[in-house]
Amino acid sequence: MSLRLLIAAGGTGGHVYPAIAIADAVIKARPDAQILFAGTRAHMEWTTVPKAGYRVSEVWVSGFHRRITLKNLLFPIKLLVSLIQSLFIVHRFKPTAVLSCGGYVAGPVGWMAAKLGVPLFIQEQNSFPGVTNRMLSKHAKRIYTAFDDAKNHFSGLDVTLMGNPVRSHMKLATQATGHATFSFDAARKTLLVMGGSGGSLRMNEAMAQNLASLHHDLGMNIIWQCGPRYFPALAAKIDLSAYPNLRLLSYIDDIALAYAAADLVVSRSGAGSIAELTVVGKPMILVPSPNVAGDHQTYNARSVAESGAAELLYDDELIAELTPTIQRLLNDELTLRKMSEAALALAQPDAADHIAADLLTTLHA
């Protein structure tokens, strides 16, 4: 019987892209394997997973809001429906194993799989594990982590440090191809700004206030990924004809080309973004989001900054310090080169292959 792997991952690129990377690695090792994703129709996995060549089945679920909101009235109904849907998915697909890569969808799918006796594996991207993976951990056969600190939250369980999986095509693009893709003048330095798959309000505010100095005074090419929810207002507010070297984008489908074009990257410090940036060896300015569980983005950013691969800026200093920090770094080629070397030293480009190999060995598949 062929290997049948059910992967539950959803909500953000930080959960979905590592899951796709592991799926690709499993297929590379076992071309006969069958892989099915579980996800939610309202989030990025519903379109991103099929683009990667995999099927996705819907689970209707969302998180419980900490603040008082009418949406919480639906939570018990959604939870019940998600459990029933998960039961049907597991019963119909008959997986050899289930892999949880986080997000709300992983909760009902992972719990139902464990109750039905299906081996459950977890891949945790952050130093402070997400609530779903923490809840599922006691049912897991093995937990793969990207940060050594994560093991402190999985005490007494089978935890293996593997790194964060990245998509296999990350290093294939050249800078010349990146410049050509965005129609950039290769003589100019290129800045990539990204606030995560959903965008960042504070980073967008800082960029809007610093845009003239970055584009006109520093003469930069700029790729600004602002997030789908913020794009309409920004596109209406900014006179794009006045910024010919700006590419304002709601989302970047092929991030590898943006990485290739960039000389410097300003990014939120999600574990997935950091993993990709280290693999491609990009100097980075990391801006941790204060609105995440356990403040894990600050821990992520500090770890990378201490290695010499990044500079750290906080939300409350971003507007004032963004342009001076970028200017100082771009005027110091030696520092940029050292940051790039430090990033590459942190990289774990084979994490997906190692996880796939261990999973297959553990299953004797």
Side-chain angles (χ1 to χ4, degrees):
M1 182 180 292
S2 65
L3 173 72
R4 304 172 69 87
L5 179 63
L6 176 60
I7 301 178
T12 68
H15 297 307
V16 176
Y17 290 129
I20 291 173
I22 295 171
D24 289 344
V26 168
I27 292 296
K28 183 170 68 174
R30 283 287 303 271
D32 63 327
Q34 297 184 51
I35 294 178
L36 176 68
F37 279 73
T40 56
R41 189 180 294 270
H43 291 104
M44 64 174 294
E45 63 268 21
W46 198 252
T47 54
T48 303
V49 168
K51 284 182 180 178
Y54 300 103
R55 294 180 296 133
V56 58
S57 288
E58 182 181 10
V59 176
W60 190 51
V61 68
S62 63
F64 187 84
H65 297 266
R66 291 181 176 86
R67 65 184 186 278
I68 299 174
T69 171
L70 290 176
K71 292 181 180 179
N72 282 339
L73 296 177
L74 276 176
F75 180 78
I77 300 172
K78 283 188 173 183
L79 180 60
L80 177 60
V81 171
S82 70
L83 288 170
I84 294 171
Q85 289 175 318
S86 299
L87 173 63
F88 279 122
I89 290 171
V90 173
H91 180 73
R92 185 172 60 248
F93 185 61
K94 295 180 173 57
T96 311
V98 170
L99 174 66
S100 165
C101 290
Y104 298 125
V105 67
V109 174
W111 186 85
M112 188 58 68
K115 292 302 178 183
L116 294 175
V118 181
L120 174 66
F121 295 79
I122 289 175
Q123 193 272 320
E124 175 53 53
Q125 299 91 28
N126 293 295
S127 57
F128 187 91
V131 63
T132 302
N133 279 346
R134 293 203 309 273
M135 291 173 59
L136 291 175
S137 61
K138 64 182 179 182
H139 303 293
K141 190 175 185 67
R142 182 158 296 169
I143 301 168
Y144 303 115
T145 62
F147 290 86
D148 192 49
D149 289 347
K151 72 176 184 292
N152 298 326
H153 303 278
F154 298 124
S155 179
L157 301 174
D158 188 345
V159 180
T160 303
L161 181 64
M162 287 287 193
N164 255 329
V166 299
R167 291 162 284 178
S168 58
H169 69 291
M170 279 295 120
K171 297 184 70 173
L172 297 180
T174 64
Q175 190 166 46
T177 304
H179 286 153
T181 298
F182 293 97
S183 301
F184 280 154
D185 179 357
R188 297 173 180 267
K189 294 290 187 180
T190 299
L191 177 70
L192 169 62
V193 180
M194 52 186 197
S197 55
S200 160
L201 176 60
R202 183 54 65 92
M203 290 181 67
N204 288 339
E205 291 172 343
M207 275 299 297
Q209 295 199 39
N210 282 270
L211 184 58
S213 59
L214 293 171
H215 185 279
H216 301 328
D217 300 339
L218 299 189
M220 303 191 73
N221 299 319
I222 301 170
I223 305 169
W224 176 6
Q225 179 261 319
C226 62
R229 80 179 81 171
Y230 304 112
F231 179 80
L234 285 169
K237 177 182 177 181
I238 297 170
D239 180 7
L240 296 179
S241 66
Y243 298 94
N245 301 312
L246 167 66
R247 306 294 178 263
L248 179 66
L249 304 169
S250 64
Y251 185 76
I252 303 173
D253 287 318
D254 194 341
I255 193 66
L257 290 168
Y259 290 153
D263 295 287
L264 180 64
V265 180
V266 181
S267 174
R268 283 299 197 197
S269 49
S273 296
I274 289 175
E276 292 180 348
L277 289 167
T278 59
V279 165
V280 296
K282 291 297 172 179
M284 55 192 110
I285 298 172
L286 294 176
V287 187
S289 170
N291 306 311
V292 294
D295 197 25
H296 67 255
Q297 286 204 8
T298 297
Y299 290 103
N300 294 349
R302 285 176 181 166
S303 177
V304 179
E306 287 170 2
S307 77
E311 292 232 359
L312 180 57
L313 287 179
Y314 294 98
D315 272 12
D316 58 2
E317 61 187 359
L318 193 55
I319 290 175
E321 296 298 327
L322 185 61
T323 295
T325 303
I326 290 171
Q327 184 174 23
R328 173 171 51 81
L329 290 175
L330 290 179
N331 287 338
D332 189 345
E333 290 290 343
L334 178 59
T335 294
L336 285 178
R337 186 166 67 250
K338 288 182 177 179
M339 291 175 75
S340 178
E341 291 169 353
L344 289 169
L346 290 175
Q348 295 172 299
D350 300 320
D353 291 331
H354 292 160
I355 290 173
D358 185 84
L359 189 150
L360 292 172
T361 299
T362 304
L363 292 172
H364 306 292

